[in-house]
Amino acid sequence: MTTAKDSSTHTADGLRKFRFGAGGEGNKDEGGARKFVKLAQTAEEYGYDTFAIPDHMGNQVGPLAALGALSQATSTIRLATSVLANGFRHPAVLAKEATTIDVLSKGRLELGIGSGWMKEEFDKAGIEFGTPGERIRRLDESLTILDKLMRGETVDFDGEFYQIKGLEGSPRPRQGPRPPIAVGGGGPKMLALAAKHADIISVATGTTREGKLRLSDMTIEKTIERVDRIREAAGDRFDQIELNWTIATIVVTDDRVATAEMALKALEQGYPPNIARDVELTVDDILSSPYLAFGSFEEIAEQIREVRRRTTMSYVGVFPTQMDAFAPVIPLLRGE
């Protein structure tokens, strides 16, 4: 973890310097597991700081095994999960896998973990999903256990979901005191939990009961509200937390206003279907959203600077399909 005064990670005016995250799933659209390693190597060549793997039961590689392979196939890019579903693995087992990857990668792991949200996957696998409250309490216990085991400490824990008796964390990680932990969330309870435990918080949009993303949460104003919740919950820890967000759509164009107008028309027609239109947005709302990037490379870079200025978020992620499109923006922001 770092402090706000660390010149290697912060600008002269106290803002965190930008970092950039790519990712992949190893699914058929990406060329399958065989081309997965090449995807990560390409991200490293482009200058991305991290390469992250999600965690689903569907058409993708197993994240921990894949990170083990990438620890040997890459040399500088940091390796991350975005994010592991807590209910899939016991924290004692996960801690050992995580510190092993950290050792093998020579200290490049960022462990992202969340409560899990796709009930269908849990049901298909015969794994108990639980209520939202149960999943948050379970994650709270997991994060407490992971923090200690990944430091190499001996853990005794008697909780609602986990009981551990005299287990010593091993192997000791390459990073000290432990690999950074990332937690993502959009709702108040998850953001508060992340503020309690995480070194990195992924500021996500909230979802409806049906699992659709709330359109209102994609605005810069709602994003600032979520960051303010983190700031309030974290207290003195806030300056030690790095804030991340993922750009959902990148369109390189010489007419960003026309592109925003097209996006609004698509929303009116119900596309994409995973968006809940709970508010009517304007062109300005679209162009200032942290989660949408329209314009020339220079305009996108300037938009990202403005997002950081207004929110303090500095760790920019992109989806696998957007990795090539965003790559030319990285040199424009590198070192800032």
Side-chain angles (χ1 to χ4, degrees):
M1 292 184 289
T2 58
T3 69
K5 297 179 181 179
D6 188 338
S7 61
S8 67
T9 57
H10 289 73
T11 65
D13 53 3
L15 294 171
R16 279 186 178 268
K17 291 182 179 179
F18 289 116
R19 287 206 301 148
F20 307 97
E25 300 180 4
N27 58 34
K28 293 179 181 178
D29 293 337
E30 297 171 5
R34 288 181 298 175
K35 292 190 176 180
F36 180 75
V37 169
K38 179 58 179 176
L39 186 68
Q41 291 170 335
T42 300
E44 188 172 66
E45 292 167 5
Y46 279 154
Y48 285 94
D49 295 280
T50 60
F51 187 86
I53 308 174
D55 186 24
H56 295 293
M57 289 292 188
N59 178 26
Q60 69 153 88
V61 295
L64 298 179
L67 287 184
L70 295 186
S71 74
Q72 304 304 298
T74 61
S75 58
T76 58
I77 197 166
R78 292 182 65 78
L79 306 175
T81 52
S82 65
V83 294
L84 298 179
N86 180 52
F88 289 169
R89 301 167 190 84
H90 192 289
V93 177
L94 175 57
K96 180 171 287 290
E97 298 294 332
T99 53
T100 299
I101 291 169
D102 196 59
V103 171
L104 292 175
S105 66
K106 299 180 180 178
R108 290 187 282 140
L109 177 67
E110 293 179 8
L111 184 67
I113 186 167
S115 62
W117 60 278
M118 292 188 70
K119 184 177 185 298
E120 180 184 9
E121 292 187 344
F122 281 77
D123 291 344
K124 286 182 176 180
I127 300 172
E128 183 181 357
F129 188 59
T131 66
E134 287 171 342
R135 295 200 306 279
I136 288 176
R137 296 197 306 275
R138 184 188 293 269
L139 180 58
D140 191 5
E141 290 189 12
S142 280
L143 289 166
T144 301
I145 294 165
L146 286 166
D147 175 58
K148 294 180 180 299
L149 286 177
M150 289 201 302
R151 293 172 187 265
E153 297 179 7
T154 298
V155 174
D156 288 284
F157 187 88
D158 186 12
E160 177 184 358
F161 301 97
Y162 304 110
Q163 293 77 41
I164 297 178
K165 300 176 182 178
L167 180 64
E168 181 179 355
S170 68
R172 291 295 295 271
R174 180 71 173 264
Q175 296 179 88
R178 57 155 174 75
I181 291 174
V183 178
K189 291 182 180 178
M190 274 300 298
L191 291 175
L193 180 63
K196 175 183 175 183
H197 290 283
D199 307 298
I200 302 163
I201 298 178
S202 184
V203 184
T205 55
T207 57
T208 66
R209 289 183 179 274
E210 295 76 32
K212 292 187 175 184
L213 303 177
R214 291 193 182 93
L215 186 60
S216 60
D217 274 7
M218 296 183 74
T219 65
I220 186 71
E221 290 79 13
K222 287 290 186 180
T223 307
I224 291 169
E225 287 181 14
R226 292 196 292 280
V227 172
D228 285 342
R229 288 195 195 103
I230 295 170
R231 182 182 286 106
E232 182 179 357
D236 292 342
R237 286 194 70 239
F238 184 75
D239 285 341
Q240 301 173 11
I241 297 171
E242 185 176 32
L243 298 181
N244 158 259
W245 85 102
T246 299
I247 301 174
T249 302
I250 298 165
V251 180
V252 180
T253 174
D254 57 3
D255 193 338
R256 62 198 306 259
V257 172
T259 304
E261 290 171 344
M262 290 173 57
L264 288 175
K265 289 179 181 178
L267 288 166
E268 290 173 2
Q269 296 169 3
Y271 182 83
N274 66 330
I275 299 288
R277 284 183 64 217
D278 59 339
V279 68
E280 295 295 328
L281 298 186
T282 66
V283 168
D284 286 342
D285 290 330
I286 294 290
L287 294 179
S288 63
S289 170
Y291 303 95
L292 303 170
F294 302 157
S296 66
F297 297 130
E298 291 77 11
E299 287 172 328
I300 291 172
E302 186 55 36
Q303 178 187 348
I304 289 171
R305 292 187 188 100
E306 181 67 4
V307 168
R308 183 181 62 175
R309 185 188 70 79
R310 297 185 66 181
T311 68
T312 73
M313 300 191 304
S314 58
Y315 186 0
V316 189
V318 298
F319 286 109
T321 54
Q322 312 281 280
M323 190 176 84
D324 295 333
F326 187 78
V329 179
I330 294 175
L332 302 178
L333 296 171
R334 174 65 68 199
E336 292 188 17

